[in-house]
Structures are given as structure tokens and as C-alpha cells.
Amino acid sequence: SQQGEEDPQALSIQEGENATMNCSYKTSINNLQWYRQNSGRGLVHLILIRSNEREKHSGRLRVTLDTSKKSSSLLITASRAADTASYFCATDEGTSYGKLTFGQGTILTVHP
Amino acid sequence: DTGVSQNPRHKITKRGQNVTFRCDPISEHNRLYWYRQTLGQGPEFLTYFQNEAQLEKSRLLSDRFSAERPKGSFSTLEIQRTEQGDSAMYLCASRSGTERSEQYFGPGTRLTVT
């Protein structure tokens, strides 16, 4: 079953703009991870944030985590056409062997 | 290439046939996961191996599904008597045994059951 919801389901922006995607989840977690998937391909890990962290940065990516609201957001700054992909949040609930529970994803389209 | 590899990349089979997929994880990773992804959805967990031991299975893994990881290296996922509902992308991922860390995914095997 899916852990939660991602919002929006689809996002269309122009190159250079920022893109923000949100993820909500239902249970307590050990960590939350964001992945990118290009059409029909495997998933690429972007960033991992642990439950005791509130914000993390990696290049043009910024992730926040609010465990009280059970939500996370992914911000991509200065987007590029190559950022066009589906983005998934995934939670590690810490009660099993590190299996991930994914949201349904946000489809991001960046127009050149 | 030292990433996770999966074979075949695509498989088309007729309903009722058996299929087997292979996953080769990153060599130093002792933890291996199988997920299934249908169109427009996020991946869903199927099963987990730590070395050669299968330690967790999802209820999604019906009796027609079996997975193995002999010698704790590569893994196989077999589906017997395939059904049209088995059509999906089957993803394999591996990670190291250290503190909860990211999983590295293979390119997936896309199964189409006709």
C-alpha cells in the first residue's frame, strides 16, 4: 500500500523557475528519501533526511522534514529541462528491514 | 559498471507461462529488495534479502511468486502461471549493511503478459 500522498500530482514550469513538491505520510519514520525516475527507467536516489533532521541541501535540491505534520517538501531551484522526470518520496518506517514505502509521485515537466 | 543490473530489461509472455528475472546488486551490498511498480504508481515492496536469507515478504507476493538469493550474491524472482495483472515494472534495489542508508535501484524489468 502507498504510504501517503504527493502534491501536486503534476507540475509544469519554465526553465529557471523553482519547483516545489510536497509529500505527506502516515506513520512514524526513521528517514525519508526522495528519488527521481525518468520515463520507463529505474529510480535514482536524490537525498535522504533522517527523522531528527529538519532540512538538508544537495546542490540545487533542498529538502525539509516536519515530523509533527508528517510531511516533507522537495525544492529544486533554477530548474533545467533535464530535471523533467517523476519524483517520489519514500519512507523508511524503521520497524522492518529498511523497506521503503513510496508515494504515488509528482510528474515534473520543465519547458526549455 | 558497478551499479545494480537487471535482466532481461523487457519480457513479453503469454498468460500462464512462467518467467524469471535476475538482479545483480552492487557487489559489497548484502541487502537486496524487490519492488513492483505499475503505471502511474510508486513502487511497492515485494521482498527483502539479507545475504542469502529472505527475511520479509509482502502480502503482494502470492504463492505464484518466489524469490531466491543463493550464496547472497545475485537474486532471482520467478512468477509462475503469469496473469495479466502481473504486468508491471519489477525493480531490484540494494544497499549496504550500515545504518539505514539509501537504496540503489536497477533499471528494472518490464513485464507484459498478453
Side-chain angles (χ1 to χ4, degrees), chain B residues 65-80:
Chain B
F65 287 70
S66 63
E68 295 182 340
R69 193 181 181 198
K71 302 178 183 176
S73 55
F74 70 91
S75 176
T76 58
L77 178 67
E78 180 183 16
I79 309 174
Q80 296 183 326

Side-chain angles (χ1 to χ4, degrees), chain A residues 37 50 92 96-98 100, chain B residues 33 35 37 48 100 102-103:
Chain A
Q37 185 177 38
R50 301 194 187 281
D92 176 348
S96 60
Y97 297 102
L100 296 176
Chain B
Y33 303 80
Y35 294 85
Q37 184 179 26
Y48 163 74
R100 306 281 199 181
E102 62 268 28
Q103 296 184 16

Side-chain angles (χ1 to χ4, degrees), chain A residues 22-82:
Chain A
N22 302 296
C23 166
S24 62
Y25 57 91
K26 297 173 183 172
T27 64
S28 61
I29 60 171
N30 176 284
N31 65 72
L32 184 145
Q33 305 178 32
W34 285 90
Y35 288 82
R36 184 186 75 220
Q37 185 177 38
N38 290 86
S39 182
R41 311 288 288 274
L43 283 81
V44 174
H45 181 265
L46 296 176
I47 199 163
L48 180 154
I49 186 165
R50 301 194 187 281
S51 60
N52 61 352
E53 298 174 314
R54 292 296 167 257
E55 188 170 311
K56 254 187 138 169
H57 297 255
S58 176
R60 294 184 295 113
L61 305 180
R62 172 177 170 256
V63 167
T64 62
L65 178 65
D66 186 335
T67 53
S68 66
K69 295 181 180 178
K70 291 187 169 58
S71 68
S72 175
S73 67
L74 171 67
L75 168 67
I76 304 174
T77 59
S79 63
R80 306 166 182 167

Side-chain angles (χ1 to χ4, degrees), chain B residues 6 19 28 30 33 37 47 67 79 84-85 91 95 102 105:
Chain B
Q6 292 186 246
V19 294
E28 61 267 27
N30 64 341
Y33 303 80
Q37 184 179 26
T47 191
I79 309 174
Q84 287 189 322
L91 294 161
R95 72 174 179 92
E102 62 268 28
F105 281 80

Side-chain angles (χ1 to χ4, degrees), chain A residues 1-6 23-26 89 91 101-104:
Chain A
S1 62
Q2 305 284 296
Q3 162 69 291
E5 295 185 358
E6 292 185 57
C23 166
S24 62
Y25 57 91
K26 297 173 183 172
C89 69
T91 53
T101 304
F102 286 82
Q104 82 275 18

